[in-house]
Amino acid sequence: MQYKTFGNTGKKLSAIGFGGMRFKKEDYAHSFVKAAEVVRHASQLGINYFDTAPFYCDDKSEEIMGEAFKAMPNPFYVSTKSTINVEPTADDLRKRVELSLKRLGLEKIDFLQMWCILDLDQYKKVIAKGGPYEGALKLKEEGLIDHICFSTHATGEEIEVMVKDGRFEGVTLGYNAINFAYRQKGIKAAYEQGLGVVTMNPLGGGIIPQNPDHFSFIKQNQEETLAQAALKFNASHKEITVVLSGMSSIQEVEENILAGNSIEALNEERTKGIASHLSEGLDTLCTGCGYCLGCPVGINIPKFMDAYNLYILTKKDEVVKDRLGMHWGLSTEEATKCIACGKCLEKCTQHLPIIKRLQYIGSLK
Ligand code: SF4
Ligand code: SF4
């Protein structure tokens, strides 16, 4: 496993990090022992960055980590989160951190993320007087938090503004071969500002391994799987400290470790080669993050946008209809229910033209 220094913190983190959002229900429903075993196995094999959050895995992820942390084979760092949507004030944040510490069985959180800052408006609320950032600073003074970071789905330009404010020591953001161009500005700005950079969603919501015809170009050798190649693609950026991968089994841990053992730095020539493969269209794929959910007329937007992804990749109407009907059990007609209220547009992490895409799907017979 390779290790990189996280921004200006001096902490050396494993290039592949453990994402605690994919534990299998059968491994934690009655006891945390089996899920905790997966965490300890990752530690045994060299992973030292463990990311969790309230609400992951039916709100059990932190407790599973806590179970594992009782007997970790190696030193480790933990990252957990607080969101302004649930903890809008400094006092709320304190209560959240106290609960996380209890669940994790720790006296200090290494990295606290101000979770999923959607845009600059929300950023202003996070840093407002009496808001969660102020609460986090106080907890840092008291020694309950080591580093205050943020996670975001904002555009590269907006991330640049946030990191240049100098309040944070690290950022976590979605980055992969699909949204490469869209996010690069933010990653570079964070790196140049001395922040550590953690990336999540390296597989683009599963799109990359499911579409070898379009993404095989990211492989550095034929032996590796596309999932391993996608992890390595992220990890080979000098700006990225840790690539998070959600791991649910010992086998997945071992596959990820193989990727972490063979990272080659991305040189300028290869970066250009990859960029030239990424057409405009590939930057506009839906990543399936689900942040647009909550449509007032009940449209399951991620499923429709997943079908539209196949239109971008294949340009075939039939493929879109098959995906909707056979994979998701939906009809194209359901897309016509959209009343164009625009609520989903405000929430979409990729800033996709959802209404136009639904109109296209609704027009398919
Ligand atoms: S614009 Fe259409 S799809 Fe989006 S939330 Fe409104 S009704 Fe739903
Ligand atoms: S439409 Fe946007 S917010 Fe919704 S799942 Fe896709 S990328 Fe995420």
Side-chain angles (χ1 to χ4, degrees):
M1 176 62 64
Q2 292 188 18
Y3 297 84
K4 296 184 184 179
T5 305
F6 188 80
N8 292 333
T9 67
K11 289 192 163 77
K12 287 251 182 201
L13 306 184
S14 50
I16 305 293
F18 189 104
M21 74 295 273
R22 292 257 160 77
F23 293 112
K24 291 182 192 160
K25 196 161 191 145
E26 65 263 32
D27 289 349
Y28 65 77
H30 304 296
S31 142
F32 299 146
V33 171
K34 204 162 172 206
E37 206 38 58
V38 180
V39 178
R40 288 201 195 108
H41 195 71
S43 170
Q44 184 75 51
L45 295 184
I47 289 177
N48 72 355
Y49 184 83
F50 294 84
D51 178 82
T52 180
F55 314 121
Y56 281 173
C57 304
D58 305 320
D59 205 22
K60 299 291 183 217
S61 178
E62 287 186 321
E63 287 178 87
I64 294 166
M65 293 281 187
E67 175 68 25
F69 294 165
K70 286 178 190 165
M72 286 289 261
N74 289 306
F76 60 91
Y77 298 110
V78 68
S79 151
T80 192
K81 310 183 181 86
S82 165
T83 167
I84 189 167
N85 294 328
V86 182
E87 290 98 28
T89 69
D91 286 346
D92 295 330
L93 180 120
R94 174 177 290 274
K95 283 184 201 137
R96 166 58 65 194
V97 168
E98 284 170 353
L99 179 59
S100 292
L101 284 168
K102 196 169 156 206
R103 287 169 160 185
L104 294 164
L106 300 174
E107 292 186 350
K108 184 177 67 177
I109 288 165
D110 302 295
F111 301 95
L112 181 73
Q113 313 283 340
M114 304 280 106
W115 193 2
C116 195
I117 300 178
L118 283 177
D119 52 30
L120 287 177
D121 283 346
Q122 205 175 51
Y123 170 64
K124 284 178 196 147
K125 289 178 191 155
V126 167
I127 61 171
K129 193 160 172 36
Y133 180 79
E134 193 178 288
L137 274 183
K138 185 84 183 33
L139 294 176
K140 189 174 172 188
E141 274 169 33
E142 293 171 24
L144 298 180
I145 298 172
D146 236 359
H147 305 291
I148 306 171
C149 305
F150 72 113
S151 79
T152 184
H153 293 291
T155 63
E157 286 76 11
E158 287 172 321
I159 294 168
E160 198 172 9
V161 173
M162 295 179 213
V163 301
K164 284 191 170 164
D165 259 4
R167 288 185 167 85
F168 297 108
E169 291 176 272
V171 61
T172 298
L173 70 174
Y175 187 80
N176 50 55
I178 299 168
N179 66 14
F180 178 80
Y182 171 75
R183 285 276 155 74
Q184 236 190 358
K185 199 166 186 178
I187 282 189
K188 276 190 189 308
Y191 176 76
E192 281 161 15
Q193 205 63 26
L195 274 75
V197 177
V198 176
T199 60
M200 52 191 171
N201 198 14
L203 306 186
I207 293 169
I208 294 171
Q210 285 161 18
N211 288 279
D213 289 352
H214 289 88
F215 295 105
S216 287
F217 70 88
I218 63 171
K219 281 189 178 186
Q220 292 183 338
N221 62 64
Q222 286 317 305
E223 288 75 52
E224 66 193 12
T225 65
L226 254 183
Q228 287 167 334
L231 291 184
K232 281 169 63 178
F233 169 73
N234 278 23
S236 56
H237 288 61
K238 72 174 185 310
E239 296 90 350
I240 295 173
T241 325
V242 177
V243 183
L244 277 184
S245 175
M247 302 186 211
S248 62
S249 66
I250 301 251
Q251 188 193 345
E252 279 176 16
V253 169
E254 291 181 352
E255 282 170 10
N256 287 333
I257 292 290
L258 284 180
N261 284 344
S262 57
I263 297 160
E264 291 161 28
L266 206 59
N267 62 30
E268 206 177 322
E269 196 184 326
R270 182 154 160 72
T271 311
K272 276 189 195 153
I274 290 170
S276 72
H277 273 88
L278 293 161
S279 67
E280 280 274 295
L282 291 186
D283 296 336
T284 61
L285 291 172
C286 165
T287 60
C289 65
Y291 281 93
C292 55
L293 287 170
C295 165
V297 294
I299 297 173
N300 191 316
I301 301 164
K303 292 182 178 173
F304 281 91
M305 294 304 106
D306 169 78
Y308 192 89
N309 279 347
L310 293 183
Y311 178 71
I312 293 172
L313 294 167
T314 66
K315 297 284 179 235
K316 289 184 184 146
D317 296 347
E318 285 311 309
V319 176
V320 177
K321 285 199 284 184
D322 278 0
R323 179 76 168 182
L324 265 187
M326 293 164 71
H327 190 84
W328 295 121
L330 292 167
S331 70
T332 55
E333 205 185 325
E334 282 182 61
T336 63
K337 287 188 199 157
C338 172
I339 53 170
C341 69
K343 286 190 176 153
C344 57
L345 301 184
E346 289 164 20
K347 294 192 273 186
C348 178
T349 57
Q350 303 298 103
H351 307 274
L352 301 179
I354 296 170
I355 298 172
K356 276 194 191 149
R357 291 183 180 189
L358 288 173
Q359 284 167 349
Y360 154 77
I361 293 172
S363 74
L364 298 176
K365 294 284 170 257

